[in-house]
Amino acid sequence: MEQKNTIYDIAKALNITAATVSRALNNNPKISENTRKLVLETAAKMNYKQNKLAKSLRNGKSFNVGVIVPRIDSNFFASVIRGVEDELHPEGYHVIICQTHEDEKREIDNITTLLNAQVDGILMSISKMSEENEPIIKRVVKNNVPFIFFDRKKSIDGVSSVTIDDFEGGYLATKNLIEQGCTKIAHLCGDQSLEIYQNRLKGYKQALLDNGLKYNQDYVIQTKSNLDAGKNAVVQLLALNEVPDAIFSSSDFAALGAIQELKERGVKIPDEFCVFGFGNEPFTRYLELSISSVDQSPLEMGKMAAKVFMEQINNTDNIKIEKKVVLKPELQIRQSSTRSN
Amino acid sequence: MEQKNTIYDIAKALNITAATVSRALNNNPKISENTRKLVLETAAKMNYKQNKLAKSLRNGKSFNVGVIVPRIDSNFFASVIRGVEDELHPEGYHVIICQTHEDEKREIDNITTLLNAQVDGILMSISKMSEENEPIIKRVVKNNVPFIFFDRKKSIDGVSSVTIDDFEGGYLATKNLIEQGCTKIAHLCGDQSLEIYQNRLKGYKQALLDNGLKYNQDYVIQTKSNLDAGKNAVVQLLALNEVPDAIFSSSDFAALGAIQELKERGVKIPDEFCVFGFGNEPFTRYLELSISSVDQSPLEMGKMAAKVFMEQINNTDNIKIEKKVVLKPELQIRQSSTRSN
């Protein structure tokens, strides 16, 4: 049988560590171009086969990190991923992405897929609250694979998270509408099985309370994050006896749908009706009537989640670290909530 | 030493094939819920460790497919990926995604990362033309890992591709502008190192020729795909002695920037100036002045690329298949190019 050379043989031949060989073969940017060339040449000379790399990495690191998001076609999640990459790429890590389409079964599939792909850690924003994904997440954590939630999380022992203060975001957006003179503020509140939407609703309620406005249950409509949901909500709200004069929407997409429907019905924005979104999707500023929105610092969120991962992967003391990072939201006040006087 | 059970042992115990066990452990939807439960229970009883799965899959299939795109925060690429997933998920495949940020070094990194993650195939849209990524792509193909280009491709023997007819897209968009009465049509032509942009430019030229309009080199500006590029192009075009009366932009983002700058300068769209984009990004229809654009059927493109992958992975005859699929583009004619008379 042919004698097969390993990365350890290459390391020995070059008098460098096996880790350096592994990183060089893996195109880790921390390795100088000279070393990389030398390793590749030596590997070729020694007839080293690349498919052995995976095997050698089994016991070490793959330098791959998995990110799981509900959907990639949202500027928010795409920007978080960009932040993760910006932080991890200089450390020699590659990011691989999976999307769940809000389907919990796919979420579990994705975790399995990434583990099979030998990732060193998983950063995830959950699809919806449920009990089904807890066992697999707990198993990941038990196996000392760093697992970090960002934005949408659930509370699981040992799992770190990076979120924004959704309560504060809901509070500030509602307060802005009150300052514009709105007194009958409706809220499109999103799927209440997710903590982020629960907290935005709580912030909305608290802002009403702190400003002497009464909470009206008819003004709170649970909506999906799309245009039609916003349009339908407006139809419902305008049919009320006491028609609202503003909407705080937990979704920019629903906010846009609401604005389109209001315009269709001849309601003047912002003079007769103000609208505030959430998420700061790029289209909110492209529109002729630009939409006020809550910015969630996605780039910073991604970088922070990556930093938490790095802390955990570099933690050789076998101490369990659980870290909760909460970022501050920032209002982007635009035309849809800015009255002239 | 402890005797370790493999998927073959589980298969034997249940009198099913190892492939079925592997699929069940991998949450393949082709496997019934009952079988999956049975396999999981048996695996647990036999103390089968999941990390052995990767090893067992080494010689078979991982049921993971890698998709590499320049960026995920574009509706076009996100929709292609959706199409790939829609086609492959029922077949039991999981899709993992990498982005290159138009950086060729990362492109090569991503291919290595996906190979290390044991994917069964790679679908890729290239970042830019260059010689550097050819060796690794040729190596992938040589190792019988299906490799398929979509949208942005280069010509490499043995590599299949799914694209749209960019020439036709450029031709039809330009023809639409001519039919609206425009005679001095400028073109924002994108990075000419990519075939797709070369072909859109060729389509533009041919449409001018076929309609008796002369080609004016001053009217063709190479731009990036962003708002500022479109704004700057308008500044340049309006400074010409013979000011154009229309723009066909190879990018919706540049088209939007152009429209913003034209409005800023009081140019009336579409009466004094028409604009046609490319890509059919969702914002083009959200705007108050909606933008005409060329739709590239991204969902269909993704499905088709996935079908080509399936053909290749199921090709047991060891025959090399190279397939070139070209889809038809479709015009979405909106306000920015529709004159009232």
Side-chain angles (χ1 to χ4, degrees):
Chain A
M1 199 175 118
E2 191 195 353
Q3 167 86 37
K4 284 179 179 176
N5 284 314
T6 68
I7 56 163
Y8 298 97
D9 301 310
I10 301 170
K12 212 170 157 188
L14 292 172
N15 200 23
I16 57 179
T17 67
T20 303
V21 173
S22 160
R23 288 181 175 203
L25 291 170
N26 224 7
N27 288 325
N28 183 320
K30 277 196 167 170
I31 302 299
S32 76
E33 197 48 35
N34 278 344
T35 307
R36 203 177 69 89
K37 273 196 181 156
L38 195 63
V39 168
L40 289 179
E41 281 166 18
T42 310
K45 265 187 225 154
M46 293 174 75
N47 202 23
Y48 171 81
K49 292 278 190 313
Q50 186 151 36
N51 61 353
K52 279 196 244 165
L53 180 58
K55 202 184 261 175
S56 73
L57 286 169
R58 177 81 39 76
N59 304 314
K61 291 208 257 178
S62 69
F63 287 96
N64 295 339
V65 172
V67 178
I68 301 175
V69 291
R71 43 195 274 238
I72 53 171
D73 68 339
S74 118
N75 184 67
F76 173 72
F77 287 120
S79 300
V80 174
I81 293 169
R82 176 86 211 210
V84 172
E85 290 178 329
D86 283 355
E87 191 69 27
L88 290 185
H89 193 252
E91 303 290 335
Y93 284 90
H94 305 115
V95 172
I96 61 188
I97 307 155
C98 291
Q99 59 181 339
T100 64
H101 301 289
E102 304 282 359
D103 174 348
E104 199 198 21
K105 200 172 165 312
R106 285 214 193 180
E107 195 164 286
I108 296 170
D109 275 1
N110 284 339
I111 296 174
T112 312
T113 299
L114 290 172
L115 292 176
N116 287 341
Q118 312 290 332
V119 292
D120 293 338
I122 295 176
L123 317 184
M124 182 168 100
S125 198
I126 63 166
S127 291
K128 48 182 180 181
M129 293 301 268
S130 117
E131 301 309 304
E132 298 241 338
N133 60 15
E134 282 211 27
I136 189 166
I137 295 173
K138 283 180 179 162
R139 218 181 319 139
V140 173
V141 175
K142 210 175 150 194
N143 287 332
N144 288 318
V145 175
F147 193 100
I148 293 129
F149 285 127
F150 61 88
D151 192 44
R152 302 180 181 186
K153 70 176 178 75
K154 60 201 296 185
S155 294
I156 298 180
D157 272 355
V159 182
S160 296
S161 62
V162 180
T163 54
I164 68 147
D165 191 336
D166 285 284
F167 176 91
E168 180 85 359
Y171 188 93
L172 292 175
T174 309
K175 189 162 160 268
N176 172 265
L177 292 168
I178 297 169
E179 285 165 358
Q180 292 296 311
C182 304
T183 55
K184 292 174 280 184
I185 301 166
H187 177 43
L188 314 187
C189 73
D191 184 340
Q192 287 297 306
S193 69
L194 285 168
E195 270 184 31
I196 56 167
Y197 294 124
Q198 292 167 13
N199 290 332
R200 291 174 199 177
L201 173 58
K202 284 181 192 162
Y204 157 81
K205 283 184 183 173
Q206 191 62 45
L208 295 181
L209 191 71
D210 288 355
N211 291 278
L213 295 175
K214 76 166 202 290
Y215 170 73
N216 180 347
Q217 207 157 359
D218 291 342
Y219 285 180
V220 176
I221 300 178
Q222 184 157 329
T223 52
K224 292 194 171 174
S225 178
N226 63 43
L227 270 65
D228 280 342
K231 287 180 187 178
N232 293 337
V234 163
V235 173
Q236 213 175 314
L237 290 169
L238 294 190
L240 293 174
N241 278 335
E242 202 164 355
V243 172
D245 58 9
I247 286 175
F248 160 49
S249 168
S250 52
S251 146
D252 281 337
F253 295 94
L256 174 57
I259 286 175
Q260 288 181 344
E261 186 66 28
L262 287 163
K263 278 188 180 170
E264 190 86 3
R265 289 160 176 262
V267 178
K268 287 196 181 60
I269 305 167
D271 290 339
E272 294 172 7
F273 204 108
C274 288
V275 177
F276 214 107
F278 205 111
N280 200 23
E281 287 286 327
F283 70 78
T284 55
R285 57 179 177 278
Y286 293 165
L287 298 165
E288 259 182 50
L289 178 88
S290 58
I291 305 178
S292 300
S293 192
V294 180
D295 185 69
Q296 305 177 86
S297 321
L299 212 62
E300 204 189 331
M301 185 181 284
K303 285 181 184 206
M304 190 54 77
K307 278 179 191 159
V308 174
F309 161 76
M310 287 302 294
E311 272 178 35
Q312 299 202 351
I313 197 85
N314 291 328
N315 165 31
T316 49
D317 299 337
N318 209 17
I319 303 166
K320 292 262 178 229
I321 306 175
E322 189 182 322
K323 200 163 182 172
K324 307 276 179 206
V325 181
V326 180
L327 305 171
K328 284 271 158 225
E330 205 172 291
L331 296 194
Q332 297 294 330
I333 297 172
R334 303 200 179 96
Q335 288 161 292
S336 70
S337 81
T338 307
R339 288 179 172 167
S340 35
N341 44 5
Chain B
M1 202 177 116
E2 191 195 353
Q3 168 86 36
K4 287 179 177 176
N5 284 316
T6 68
I7 56 165
Y8 299 97
D9 300 311
I10 302 170
K12 211 170 159 189
L14 292 171
N15 200 22
I16 57 178
T17 67
T20 304
V21 174
S22 160
R23 286 182 176 202
L25 290 169
N26 224 7
N27 288 323
N28 184 321
K30 277 197 168 171
I31 303 298
S32 75
E33 197 49 34
N34 279 344
T35 308
R36 203 178 68 88
K37 272 196 182 155
L38 195 64
V39 168
L40 289 179
E41 281 165 19
T42 313
K45 265 186 225 154
M46 294 174 75
N47 202 23
Y48 172 80
K49 292 279 190 311
Q50 185 152 35
N51 61 354
K52 279 196 244 164
L53 180 58
K55 202 185 257 173
S56 74
L57 285 169
R58 177 79 40 76
N59 305 314
K61 290 208 256 178
S62 69
F63 286 96
N64 295 339
V65 171
V67 178
I68 302 175
V69 290
R71 39 194 278 239
I72 53 172
D73 67 339
S74 118
N75 183 68
F76 173 71
F77 287 120
S79 301
V80 174
I81 293 169
R82 176 87 211 208
V84 172
E85 289 177 330
D86 284 355
E87 190 69 28
L88 290 185
H89 193 252
E91 303 289 335
Y93 284 90
H94 306 115
V95 172
I96 60 186
I97 308 155
C98 292
Q99 57 181 341
T100 63
H101 302 289
E102 304 282 359
D103 173 347
E104 198 197 22
K105 202 173 164 310
R106 286 214 193 178
E107 195 164 284
I108 296 170
D109 275 2
N110 285 340
I111 296 174
T112 312
T113 298
L114 290 172
L115 292 177
N116 287 340
Q118 311 290 332
V119 293
D120 292 338
I122 295 176
L123 316 183
M124 182 168 101
S125 198
I126 63 167
S127 293
K128 47 180 180 180
M129 294 301 268
S130 116
E131 300 309 305
E132 299 242 338
N133 60 14
E134 283 213 25
I136 190 166
I137 295 172
K138 284 181 178 163
R139 219 181 320 139
V140 174
V141 176
K142 210 175 150 194
N143 287 332
N144 288 317
V145 175
F147 194 101
I148 293 129
F149 285 126
F150 60 88
D151 192 46
R152 302 182 183 182
K153 70 177 178 76
K154 60 201 296 183
S155 294
I156 298 180
D157 271 356
V159 181
S160 295
S161 63
V162 180
T163 54
I164 68 148
D165 191 336
D166 285 284
F167 175 92
E168 181 85 358
Y171 187 93
L172 293 175
T174 308
K175 188 162 158 268
N176 173 265
L177 291 168
I178 296 169
E179 285 164 359
Q180 291 297 309
C182 303
T183 55
K184 290 173 281 183
I185 301 165
H187 177 43
L188 314 188
C189 72
D191 185 340
Q192 287 296 306
S193 69
L194 285 168
E195 270 183 31
I196 55 166
Y197 293 124
Q198 291 167 12
N199 289 334
R200 291 173 199 177
L201 173 59
K202 283 179 193 161
Y204 157 80
K205 282 185 185 173
Q206 191 63 45
L208 295 182
L209 192 70
D210 288 355
N211 290 279
L213 294 176
K214 78 167 202 290
Y215 170 72
N216 179 345
Q217 206 158 0
D218 291 343
Y219 284 179
V220 176
I221 300 179
Q222 184 157 331
T223 52
K224 292 194 171 173
S225 178
N226 62 43
L227 271 65
D228 280 342
K231 288 180 188 179
N232 293 337
V234 164
V235 172
Q236 213 175 314
L237 290 170
L238 295 190
L240 292 174
N241 278 335
E242 203 163 354
V243 173
D245 57 8
I247 286 176
F248 160 49
S249 169
S250 52
S251 146
D252 281 337
F253 295 94
L256 174 57
I259 286 174
Q260 288 181 343
E261 185 67 29
L262 287 164
K263 278 187 180 171
E264 189 86 2
R265 289 161 177 260
V267 178
K268 287 195 181 60
I269 304 167
D271 291 337
E272 294 173 6
F273 204 108
C274 288
V275 178
F276 215 107
F278 206 111
N280 201 23
E281 286 286 326
F283 71 78
T284 55
R285 57 179 176 278
Y286 293 165
L287 297 166
E288 260 184 48
L289 178 88
S290 59
I291 305 178
S292 300
S293 192
V294 180
D295 185 69
Q296 306 175 86
S297 321
L299 213 61
E300 204 189 330
M301 185 181 284
K303 285 181 185 207
M304 190 52 76
K307 278 180 191 158
V308 174
F309 161 77
M310 286 302 295
E311 273 179 35
Q312 300 203 351
I313 198 83
N314 291 329
N315 164 31
T316 49
D317 300 336
N318 208 17
I319 303 167
K320 292 264 176 228
I321 306 175
E322 189 182 323
K323 199 163 182 172
K324 308 276 178 205
V325 182
V326 180
L327 305 171
K328 283 273 158 224
E330 205 173 291
L331 296 195
Q332 296 294 330
I333 297 172
R334 303 200 180 96
Q335 288 162 291
S336 70
S337 80
T338 307
R339 288 180 173 165
S340 35
N341 45 3

